[in-house]
């Protein structure tokens, strides 16, 4: 039994893209934890530790990555949700295999480090309609696996701070940042105090310098699980996208 499941993009998880693998290695070293796959013992939350940005100790990095570390290095495609009572994790995995066979890999173009509402993330610096279409298809196409959000779960999203459109999306889809409100991002910190943001920004810009401005390929989606409320998310399974399928920017597959 799992508390929640999520469908994530994890660059470098199952790819021949050397740039994506390097990005993942740097991100996981910074966070001190891997969601899984190629890092030994990562299912138990291994802490890659091959150095850190200048001026940061492990404990200092941990202080500003508590939530980012719990969720692991990822980009949200379908946000964490409780499985509907009549659906199973195995069913979800099989449907993701079918989805992957019918959808092409997508590119995240010209990576940038940005501050989003006080936390730092890596985002696509150029419009990526195929990436948006992939997320849209997963949100809508897998919604019958999601149990309706409870009033308590809605309240945790702080709906008073959302726009009317975001509240509408939250009520319908259980998450406010989907479809026209979607912005793909790879979170690398928690919220940072304004006074500390320049120092953190400079350190991370140097740490991720080899990836900034580059384009990486997402050629798989990851099914991740939360064993119980507050537990770290862990990789459950990898579902490869099909390189022999033509990209579909309209998301009709």
């Amino acid at each position: 039994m799992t508390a929640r499941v999520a469908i994530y993009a994890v660059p470098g998880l199952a790819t021949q893209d050397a740039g994506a693998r390097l990005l993942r290695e740097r991100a996981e070293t910074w966070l001190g934890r891997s969601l899984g796959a190629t890092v030994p013992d990562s299912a138990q939350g291994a802490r890659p530790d091959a150095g850190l940005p200048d001026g940061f100790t492990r404990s200092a990095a941990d202080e500003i990555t508590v939530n980012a570390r719990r969720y692991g290095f990822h980009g949200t495609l379908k946000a964490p949700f409780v499985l509907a009572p009549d659906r199973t994790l195995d069913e979800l995995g099989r449907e993701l295999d079918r989805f992957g066979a019918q959808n092409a890999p997508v590119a995240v173009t010209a990576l940038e480090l940005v501050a989003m509402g006080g936390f730092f993330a890596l985002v696509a610096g150029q419009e990526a309609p195929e990436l948006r279409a992939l997320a849209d298809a997963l949100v809508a196409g897998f919604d019958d696996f999601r149990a309706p959000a409870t009033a308590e779960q809605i309240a945790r999203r702080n709906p008073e701070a959302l726009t009317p459109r975001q509240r509408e999306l939250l009520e319908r889809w259980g998450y406010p940042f989907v479809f026209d409100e979607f912005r793909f991002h790879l979170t690398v910190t928690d919220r940072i105090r304004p006074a500390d943001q320049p120092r953190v920004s400079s350190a991370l810009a140097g740490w991720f310098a080899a990836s900034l401005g580059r384009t990486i390929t997402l050629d798989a989606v990851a099914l991740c699980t939360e064993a119980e409320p507050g537990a770290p998310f862990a990789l459950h399974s990898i579902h490869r996208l099909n390189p022999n399928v033509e990209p579909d920017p309209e998301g009709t597959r």
Side-chain angles (χ1 to χ4, degrees):
M1 182 68 178
T2 58
R4 292 187 298 170
V5 300
I7 304 172
Y8 287 156
V10 184
L13 191 62
T15 184
Q16 299 303 310
D17 183 341
R21 291 201 306 272
L22 174 62
L23 173 63
R24 179 174 175 240
E25 289 166 4
R26 297 295 274 183
E28 290 181 346
T29 299
W30 162 249
L31 294 176
R33 177 176 177 265
S34 171
L35 276 171
T38 61
V39 177
D41 300 323
S42 55
Q44 287 72 46
R47 295 169 58 86
D49 197 5
L52 286 168
D54 289 344
F56 274 90
T57 61
R58 180 72 268 162
S59 61
D62 285 351
E63 285 178 5
I64 61 172
T65 59
V66 175
N67 285 317
R69 184 168 59 256
R70 181 169 90 83
Y71 284 88
F73 183 58
H74 77 282
T76 297
L77 297 172
K78 188 166 180 66
F81 60 94
V82 176
L83 271 176
D86 60 339
R87 307 310 293 263
T88 69
L89 201 56
D90 286 344
E91 284 182 284
L92 179 52
R94 288 194 295 271
E95 283 300 301
L96 282 171
D97 281 338
R98 181 198 60 78
F99 178 89
Q102 296 177 357
N103 286 270
V106 298
V108 182
T109 52
L111 281 171
E112 296 179 352
L113 177 71
V114 302
M116 299 179 65
F119 67 89
F120 284 93
L122 298 160
V123 305
Q126 298 174 4
E127 185 178 359
E130 292 88 358
L131 177 56
R132 159 74 185 275
L134 181 74
D136 290 356
L138 286 164
V139 169
F142 286 80
D143 209 52
D144 59 348
F145 282 92
R146 179 178 65 89
T150 64
E152 182 182 4
Q153 289 165 343
I154 294 289
R156 285 198 208 107
R157 295 289 183 186
N158 193 18
E160 296 79 10
L162 301 174
T163 67
R165 173 59 174 158
Q166 289 166 351
R167 288 196 296 273
E168 175 189 351
L169 293 168
L170 175 60
E171 292 285 347
R172 172 60 185 87
W173 301 101
Y175 191 62
F177 306 112
V178 295
F179 301 116
D180 49 298
E181 293 289 333
F182 173 75
R183 187 181 186 189
F184 182 81
H185 59 282
L186 299 154
T187 302
V188 291
T189 73
D190 298 345
R191 294 188 186 278
I192 306 296
R193 294 181 303 176
D196 293 335
Q197 287 183 16
R199 179 177 71 92
V200 174
S201 177
S202 177
L204 292 178
W207 185 248
F208 290 108
S211 298
L212 298 181
R214 304 294 181 87
T215 294
I216 60 169
T217 300
L218 298 177
D219 55 8
V221 297
L223 177 57
C224 296
T225 59
E226 179 190 46
E228 59 186 17
F233 274 77
L235 178 70
H236 177 76
S237 52
I238 300 168
H239 306 272
R240 295 178 185 273
L241 300 171
N242 187 349
N244 298 315
V245 173
E246 287 297 319
D248 181 17
E250 300 301 321
T252 55
R253 291 193 178 87

